[in-house]
Amino acid sequence: MTFSLLLTTLSMVAAPSSTDADTLTVHTARCITPYSVSRPLSADSVDLSGKAFDTKKLLENNTRVRFNDAAFSGSISKEAVIKTDTTAGCFTVNAMRFALDANQFVKADLHIDGIKDYKLFVDNKPQDDKSLSFTPGRKTLTIVSLSEPSSRDSFNVYLTGKTLEGLSVAAGDKQLYTMDLMLHGDHYYQVSLSPSGRYLVTSYYDKQHSGKNVFRTVLTETATQRVVRRWNAFQSLTWHQTKDLAYITQEGEDGWDLIAYDPQTGDESVFAQNLPMQNFTLSPDGSYLVLSRGQEQPQEKVAGLKRLYNPDDRMPGWRARNALSVYDLKTGREQALNFGPNSAWLSDISADGRRVLFSSSCLNPSRHPFERTSVYEYDVATGKVDTLLRDTVFIAEVKYSPDAKHLLIKASPAAFEGIGSEVAEGQHPNGFDYRLFLFDCQTGLTEPILCEFAPSVERVLWSKGDGQIYFSAADGCNQSLFRLNPSTRQVTRFTLPVSYLEGFAIAQGQRKSPVAVYFGQTGERAREMFVSTLGAERPSARRIGDIDFDRLMADVKLGTCHDWSFKASRGDSIHGFYFLPPDFDATKRYPLIVYYYGGCTPTPKMLEFQYPFQVLAAQGYVVYVCEPSGAIGYGQEFAARHVNTWGQESADDIIEGTKAFIAAHPFINDKKIGCMGASYGGFMTQYLQTRTDLFAAAISHAGISNIASYWGGGYWGYTYGETAQYGSYPWNNPDLYVKQSPLFNSDKIKTPILLLHGTADTNVPTNESQQMFTALRIQGKPVSYVQIDGENHVITDYKKRLAWQNVIFAWFAHWLKDQPLWWNTLYPDDHFGLK
């Protein structure tokens, strides 16, 4: 049986014409080599259900050919006729594939003429409706057909629509960067190094199109990247403090079993059996565990009623407490470390294993500051507990020095009566602007060890190998890696090939220039991991890991990212950065989107971010990110501008920065400027519209409209107020709560504003958007409000996140590009309250 693909030179068949329709013809497509299938051997004319065999089953059984990309090695042209296998009972299966690129939202009807029996797939998903919607980016269409022996099937495919502007058949060009490309595929999740640095454990997650994350963990030799062992799941390994020996937990007969694993020999041995099934930390000497055990909440005496103990008692699980105990592996003896109304948490274990450091915090709304932390030391040999710090405010983390003679404390500059404060007179330090302090366990004295240092400390470790302190820090819009010499107080910022550090590990057994493995991003690259020896300020870096970013993005065009700063009217420089669209043309005028947080945390300069700047750039926008006053990472005085201002100086910077950016870049269309932000940034969006008419469209996600109602109603409201409005309450500073609230200034808003909010948001309750929506509708202002069902403060559900993001894209397309089709397709009856 033989057959061939016959390409004919018939004249072009005209598609249906219409005065108000466009037509896009697919002239060529990739195809497989057609193959034949025949009817199955039949013992009867019907099956057990009494149904006769339907040849459509042959088609259904062969649609999975679409997953074999390598099979699409041929090509087929418009009106090419498929010569079928003429043998009786044989049918011909063919599959044709082509891609369509859209640079804006387009609706079109797909016509497949000349093929009788087929199945259509869009991005490999079945598609029954031939009325298609195209969002910016590339879609791949596959047609799997079944031809009878006598058929004259031919390839004749075209699209029609009222307007097909922005839609084209992909012809070898690189595709636009999309949410699909940003989210899916392999990502680095976590890394750890053995004490010598010889072995590396890397955990990956693969984001699939179903939204599921599939984890895997790989143990390799750091130098050669030789794979030693794989796990098809997330596997947590704990390294021995001095030896390249790993401990793995697995479920045993009556509890957890702890397995010692030697990666050099592959040998495994049971280290301990039948351990309590609790979270635990193994001591450095391997003699005991510190168990962390949750305690049940007390039940109400009257069913259906709940008397609140304090304002935070409204939170589910708030009454649960955490208890610590020391479990001796040799004897099974368990010693409780705490009891009472407050939770206790493990802070550290000394390098020799003799002492356990733990802390307990108490939240008391009747005293100021509300939260106070005490730090305790437990002597394993004697059982004695000493209090090292009592009722200390504004501390976040405590660790031992390698010799356990000092404590390394991460805390706000306001801690320890402000001994590390460098803010201006009249300011209060930002509670999230973390610095490092050294506490002498013998004398009880504390001193700051990071002076005149702008970045805000994030993750910190004191290496037991070389005695140096390594930490990551919010370094403006970057996340950088630093080394601090505790003796000289000299700080080294390492220059790495990633500007935003997402994860890192340092070999703590090496006494000089330890090996470090780290992964992160820049504004134009992501999913990259490197190994370096941390000696010089600019260490050499070697790319490692399973992910090849260049291969992933070989068929993708990305925009470029650039730093940009301006001098504010108050005299200092305000930093920022911006993205240009791919194929940028300086002679054109582009709509501009301005993003900001406007609060404590600077916006990271990353390719892959919750608010996808590069995806927006791919849709034809210039995206400007402003890092306004109040953000950490730019020095204490700068961060302290967040306190007791609620947007005043931040808004000044955003407005001035946007105007300066427009003036400096003539390719911006100054009539088409949008802005957006979330949480405090959502508040900033609303507040900005009360201050300026600069923007043509605005988006506020989970924004605060009424500072007083958020202060009393949000889960983080009054405690976050310890930073945002330290010492100010509705009764002693009503002007701050009213005059700075967008709700009380809503009559000044003219900009079309989109309010977005998850219905399960516990941080910023939905009432904050509802109040603003009600106010603007009453006043006849242009506003739309979209809720995301069941989502909290951050939209995490995969499908809902994509839908939420499309709402954002559609809003900006409507107001900044004069392309209302996308929005009108989503919400055809939305008149923004203007009718």
Side-chain angles (χ1 to χ4, degrees):
M1 293 186 297
T2 60
F3 50 84
S4 62
L5 183 69
L6 176 64
L7 303 182
T8 67
T9 56
L10 299 175
S11 61
M12 294 182 63
V13 177
S17 61
S18 174
T19 57
D20 61 348
D22 281 349
T23 300
L24 178 65
T25 300
V26 180
H27 290 281
T28 60
R30 290 185 294 142
C31 67
I32 66 170
T33 299
Y35 59 87
S36 64
V37 293
S38 58
R39 288 176 176 270
L41 176 66
S42 298
D44 202 340
S45 59
V46 296
D47 61 13
L48 292 175
S49 301
K51 295 181 180 179
F53 179 76
D54 188 349
T55 57
K56 293 186 185 308
K57 191 67 176 176
L58 296 175
L59 177 58
E60 294 173 5
N61 291 343
N62 283 273
T63 57
R64 299 190 70 82
V65 69
R66 69 187 188 276
F67 294 114
N68 185 6
D69 290 338
F72 289 85
S73 57
S75 65
I76 187 169
S77 299
K78 178 177 169 22
E79 299 187 358
V81 175
I82 302 169
K83 187 174 181 180
T84 60
D85 187 336
T86 58
T87 306
C90 287
F91 297 81
T92 303
V93 176
N94 197 12
M96 295 141 282
R97 174 171 292 172
F98 57 94
L100 297 171
D101 284 334
N103 60 26
Q104 64 186 54
F105 183 83
V106 180
K107 296 180 73 172
D109 293 325
L110 178 68
H111 303 269
I112 303 174
D113 292 349
I115 301 177
K116 180 181 178 182
D117 294 323
Y118 63 88
K119 293 283 187 181
L120 172 66
F121 302 89
V122 178
D123 291 337
N124 279 334
K125 295 179 182 179
Q127 179 76 32
D128 294 327
D129 190 0
K130 306 307 184 297
S131 294
L132 305 178
S133 294
F134 296 89
T135 58
R138 176 169 293 175
K139 286 187 183 297
T140 299
L141 280 68
T142 305
I143 302 167
V144 182
S145 68
L146 183 74
S147 300
E148 297 180 0
S150 60
S151 71
R152 292 282 294 173
D153 285 349
S154 63
F155 181 73
N156 187 17
V157 177
Y158 57 94
L159 298 99
T160 60
K162 186 173 182 179
T163 174
L164 299 184
E165 182 181 358
L167 186 67
S168 61
V169 178
D173 296 333
K174 289 187 175 184
Q175 61 180 305
L176 295 176
Y177 189 64
T178 62
M179 292 291 297
D180 184 88
L181 292 166
M182 186 183 81
L183 293 176
H184 297 136
D186 263 348
H187 296 73
Y188 294 110
Y189 181 70
Q190 184 175 295
V191 290
S192 70
L193 279 167
S194 66
S196 72
R198 179 178 178 181
Y199 297 104
L200 166 68
V201 177
T202 307
S203 291
Y204 301 81
Y205 73 91
D206 178 9
K207 171 70 78 173
Q208 300 187 329
H209 285 81
S210 64
K212 181 181 179 182
N213 289 328
V214 177
F215 287 86
R216 76 179 195 277
T217 300
V218 183
L219 174 64
T220 58
E221 285 188 336
T222 309
T224 65
Q225 286 293 282
R226 180 181 69 86
V227 175
V228 178
R229 187 169 177 177
R230 295 180 184 272
W231 293 267
N232 291 323
F234 174 74
Q235 179 63 58
S236 177
L237 283 79
T238 301
W239 290 105
H240 190 280
Q241 185 168 287
T242 58
K243 296 184 292 186
D244 285 351
L245 186 67
Y247 297 96
I248 305 171
T249 305
Q250 65 184 33
E251 190 170 345
E253 183 177 347
D254 190 21
W256 294 119
D257 289 348
L258 198 58
I259 309 300
Y261 170 68
D262 186 337
Q264 184 173 2
T265 64
D267 292 341
E268 289 187 1
S269 60
V270 178
F271 182 75
Q273 288 182 293
N274 302 323
L275 304 175
M277 298 186 77
Q278 308 290 336
N279 292 326
F280 64 80
T281 301
L282 178 67
S283 66
D285 60 359
S287 65
Y288 63 87
L289 307 175
V290 177
L291 302 177
S292 179
R293 180 182 285 115
Q295 297 179 332
E296 293 185 4
Q297 304 178 56
Q299 299 299 313
E300 291 291 333
K301 293 182 179 180
V302 182
L305 302 181
K306 181 179 180 179
R307 179 184 63 85
L308 301 187
Y309 293 158
N310 73 27
D312 286 342
D313 195 14
R314 60 196 157 143
M315 302 182 192
W318 180 85
R319 293 185 183 182
R321 294 295 181 263
N322 191 71
L324 296 177
S325 60
V326 173
Y327 179 86
D328 187 279
L329 288 171
K330 185 177 182 180
T331 65
R333 174 179 177 267
E334 183 174 341
Q335 172 62 53
L337 296 184
N338 71 300
F339 177 80
N342 299 323
S343 292
W345 305 97
L346 177 64
S347 297
D348 203 1
I349 303 175
S350 62
D352 58 12
R354 293 178 57 184
R355 282 168 278 190
V356 175
L357 191 70
F358 64 101
S359 63
S360 180
S361 297
C362 176
L363 191 68
N364 186 346
S366 65
R367 63 180 180 179
H368 186 69
F370 302 137
E371 186 174 43
R372 296 165 190 265
T373 301
S374 297
V375 179
Y376 306 95
E377 183 180 68
Y378 171 72
D379 190 306
V380 178
T382 66
K384 180 183 177 184
V385 176
D386 288 329
T387 302
L388 302 183
L389 294 169
R390 184 182 297 278
D391 287 347
T392 308
V393 297
F394 300 120
I395 68 173
E397 189 177 354
V398 184
K399 292 180 179 293
Y400 275 124
S401 62
D403 60 8
K405 292 181 180 179
H406 293 85
L407 301 183
L408 181 64
I409 302 174
K410 185 176 93 171
S412 160
F416 307 109
E417 298 183 345
I419 60 173
S421 177
E422 299 168 357
V423 301
E425 185 177 352
Q427 287 184 319
H428 188 274
N430 188 318
F432 298 105
D433 187 23
Y434 294 120
R435 297 296 183 270
L436 294 178
F437 298 82
L438 203 60
F439 172 84
D440 191 310
C441 295
Q442 266 194 328
T443 66
L445 298 177
T446 305
E447 60 175 325
I449 57 173
L450 273 181
C451 300
E452 298 182 357
F453 182 76
S456 175
V457 176
E458 298 289 335
R459 181 186 163 201
V460 60
L461 64 89
W462 197 328
S463 174
K464 299 174 180 64
D466 65 358
Q468 301 294 296
I469 298 170
Y470 295 89
F471 63 94
S472 59
D475 187 16
C477 62
N478 299 323
Q479 187 86 242
S480 301
L481 182 64
F482 296 85
R483 178 179 60 211
L484 169 65
N485 186 315
S487 299
T488 65
R489 309 294 164 85
Q490 180 181 356
V491 178
T492 301
R493 176 194 279 109
F494 293 106
T495 302
L496 305 176
V498 295
S499 57
Y500 194 89
L501 198 68
E502 293 181 283
F504 71 93
I506 294 174
Q508 294 202 57
Q510 296 179 318
R511 298 200 171 275
K512 187 177 181 182
S513 300
V515 169
V517 171
Y518 49 92
F519 61 93
Q521 304 187 41
T522 69
E524 299 176 9
R525 300 182 67 84
R527 309 186 207 184
E528 295 197 292
M529 186 163 71
F530 298 87
V531 59
S532 295
T533 299
L534 298 180
E537 180 178 332
R538 189 182 291 272
S540 60
R542 178 169 57 89
R543 185 178 282 105
I544 59 173
D546 291 350
I547 305 175
D548 186 337
F549 178 79
D550 290 316
R551 181 182 61 80
L552 289 175
M553 296 293 129
D555 192 34
V556 180
K557 49 186 176 182
L558 289 166
T560 56
C561 182
H562 309 266
D563 289 323
W564 188 79
S565 300
F566 74 96
K567 190 170 184 179
S569 58
R570 74 174 61 87
D572 58 346
S573 290
I574 303 299
H575 181 246
F577 55 95
Y578 65 96
F579 293 85
L580 293 176
D583 303 324
F584 171 73
D585 183 349
T587 64
K588 295 182 178 179
R589 299 187 74 205
Y590 293 86
L592 174 68
I593 294 175
V594 181
Y595 184 86
Y596 38 77
Y597 177 56
C600 296
T601 307
T603 302
K605 185 168 57 178
M606 300 166 63
L607 172 63
E608 299 177 346
F609 183 52
Q610 180 74 8
Y611 292 86
F613 304 138
Q614 279 278 18
V615 176
L616 285 165
Q619 294 179 17
Y621 301 97
V622 175
V623 182
Y624 165 50
V625 177
C626 182
E627 308 282 16
S629 292
I632 63 174
Y634 293 95
Q636 289 191 32
E637 189 278 329
F638 193 91
R641 297 177 191 173
H642 179 69
V643 185
N644 275 312
T645 62
W646 269 96
Q648 287 178 322
E649 293 179 322
S650 300
D652 292 342
D653 293 344
I654 295 168
I655 294 169
E656 286 187 27
T658 302
K659 291 179 178 179
F661 187 86
I662 295 168
H665 301 96
F667 49 78
I668 299 298
N669 183 344
D670 61 0
K671 303 300 182 184
K672 296 294 183 180
I673 307 169
C675 63
M676 67 175 176
S679 193
Y680 194 98
F683 155 81
M684 283 303 307
T685 291
Q686 297 180 32
Y687 177 66
L688 281 167
Q689 311 322 308
T690 71
R691 293 273 309 271
T692 181
D693 296 334
L694 181 62
F695 301 103
I699 296 178
S700 167
H701 176 83
I704 299 159
S705 65
N706 183 341
I707 300 169
S709 62
Y710 168 67
W711 171 85
Y715 275 13
W716 306 347
Y718 82 99
T719 52
Y720 172 68
E722 287 265 271
T723 291
Q725 62 261 27
Y726 185 80
S728 293
Y729 302 99
W731 53 87
N732 68 3
N733 191 358
D735 280 356
L736 177 67
Y737 286 81
V738 174
K739 291 183 178 179
Q740 290 304 114
S741 290
L743 179 66
F744 295 98
N745 297 278
S746 58
D747 58 318
K748 302 182 180 72
I749 296 177
K750 299 178 182 177
T751 307
I753 186 167
L754 170 64
L755 305 170
L756 299 167
H757 224 125
T759 61
D761 196 329
T762 52
N763 177 12
V764 179
T766 56
N767 190 48
E768 294 304 314
S769 287
Q770 185 65 46
Q771 291 178 97
M772 179 57 74
F773 180 63
T774 302
L776 294 178
R777 274 296 168 95
I778 287 174
Q779 299 174 66
K781 303 296 183 67
V783 61
S784 193
Y785 180 22
V786 176
Q787 294 185 332
I788 305 91
D789 186 52
E791 289 298 285
N792 207 306
H793 198 52
V794 178
I795 310 304
T796 58
D797 178 87
Y798 173 76
K799 292 184 178 179
K800 292 176 184 177
R801 181 185 177 187
L802 292 178
W804 163 77
Q805 195 68 65
N806 279 337
V807 170
I808 293 173
F809 296 152
W811 182 263
F812 282 139
H814 185 296
W815 297 101
L816 302 185
K817 288 185 170 183
D818 298 323
Q819 296 172 1
L821 179 61
W822 198 347
W823 184 266
N824 291 341
T825 301
L826 293 174
Y827 307 107
D829 58 347
D830 189 1
H831 304 296
F832 318 110
L834 299 178
K835 288 188 178 181

